Amino acid sequence: MTYSYFPGCTLKNKAIDLDKYARISAEALGFTLEEIPDWQCCGGEYPQGTNEVAPKLSSVRALANARDAGQELVTLCSACYNVLKQVNYDMQNDENTILKANNYLKEDEIEYHGEAKVVHYLEILRDVVGWDNVKKAVKKPFTGKKIGAYYGCLLLRPGKVLQLDDPENPQLLEDFIKAIGGTPVIYSQRNECCGAYTMFEDESIPKTRANKILSNAEDMGADLLVTSCPLCRYNLIKNKGNSKLDVIYFTELLAEALGLKEAQ
C-alpha cells in the first residue's frame, strides 16, 4: 500500500533519523511513503484564533494533494500530525474555515472539504500491518530492555479530534515496544507536556518539566525513552541534566529491531 507522506520541516534537518528509519522500515513491512511534492511547513502549531485561516492553508494543500492521489495522508512528527488532523477536522466541520480557506485557494483551482484521512505512522503499524506481523518481522528483539514511552501532549490531544488513543491512558507506544521485544515501563509523566513551547518565555519551565519526566521514568526503571516528537526529544535531551536516559525516535528502534539499522 502507498501513502501520501508529509514529512514536515524538522525531518529534513534536526530529525533526519525519524524520517530515514521510517522509510526503510515501511518498505520492509510492505508499505510505501510517497512524499507529497512541493509541500510547505504546517506551522508546527495549530492556530487557535477562529479567524486565522492563512496559517492553515499549507495543511489544506497537503490534504487536498493526498485526496487527489486517492491516498491517506501519513506523517511521523507529533506536531505535524496534530496540526494536519485539526485542520482537517476544521475543513469538515467549521463553515467559517471551509469558506475562507477555499476562497483563498480558488486561484490554485483547489476546493477541499475534509475528504482526506490523516493517519500517524504508528496507526499504520497498529491497524494495517498489525502488531503480530511487526513482531514476526523482528530479527533483533529488544529482549530485557525496559523502555518508557513518551507521548507528550501533541500526539494525543485534543482527544476528540485526534482520536489516536486514550489521552489519559494510552497504549499505542507500549504495544509498539512489546512488538519489538522490549518491556514497556509505565510512569505517570509519559503523556504530560514537556514544556518545550514555553522555552522562549521562561527557560525554567521546560527544564523543570524535562527533569520531572526523566526522573519519573528513571525511578520506574526505564533504560531509555522512545518518542515520535522532535521537539520533545530536543527538549528532553537539552535539559536532561544528570539523567542517563537516552531519548530515541521510535522509527530508529523499529529499524534496529527489523535488522535494518546496520545497513545504513
Side-chain angles (χ1 to χ4, degrees), residues 36-210:
I36 289 176
D38 301 322
W39 56 267
Q40 298 171 306
C41 176
C42 70
E45 185 176 4
Y46 174 72
Q48 296 291 329
T50 56
N51 291 317
E52 291 188 52
V53 175
K56 300 178 182 180
L57 296 182
S58 61
S59 295
V60 176
R61 289 190 179 96
L63 291 160
N65 189 297
R67 180 223 28 214
D68 294 344
Q71 298 169 350
E72 295 179 358
L73 181 62
V74 64
T75 191
L76 286 150
C77 168
S78 297
C80 292
Y81 175 73
N82 187 284
V83 173
L84 290 167
K85 197 76 180 278
Q86 291 207 70
V87 170
N88 203 43
Y89 183 85
D90 288 342
M91 295 303 292
Q92 295 168 341
N93 298 283
D94 184 72
E95 292 300 327
N96 178 59
T97 302
I98 294 168
L99 175 63
K100 291 184 176 181
N102 281 315
N103 280 339
Y104 269 110
L105 297 171
K106 275 183 181 178
E107 292 184 6
D108 299 327
E109 298 183 347
I110 295 174
E111 184 172 346
Y112 183 74
H113 296 271
E115 298 92 347
K117 182 179 180 181
V118 181
V119 296
H120 194 276
Y121 192 103
L122 284 163
E123 288 181 273
I124 300 175
L125 298 182
R126 180 186 67 189
D127 302 333
V128 180
V129 177
W131 296 128
D132 287 342
N133 288 324
V134 172
K135 188 174 182 178
K136 289 176 184 176
V138 168
K139 293 181 172 59
K140 297 176 64 178
F142 283 86
T143 306
K145 186 69 77 172
K146 296 178 180 179
I147 305 172
Y150 183 64
Y151 292 89
C153 50
L154 295 176
L155 193 62
L156 300 170
R157 302 181 179 92
K160 176 185 175 182
V161 177
L162 301 190
Q163 297 185 353
L164 179 67
D165 204 345
D166 183 344
E168 299 304 323
N169 186 29
Q171 294 297 317
L172 181 57
L173 278 170
E174 282 78 13
D175 289 340
F176 165 77
I177 292 165
K178 291 176 185 176
I180 62 173
T183 301
V185 174
I186 305 298
Y187 62 106
S188 63
Q189 294 292 312
R190 64 196 174 115
N191 57 346
E192 296 296 331
C193 179
C194 71
Y197 281 115
T198 68
M199 69 175 65
F200 295 111
E201 180 178 348
D202 185 348
E203 289 187 4
S204 69
I205 297 174
K207 286 182 179 179
T208 300
R209 292 296 311 131

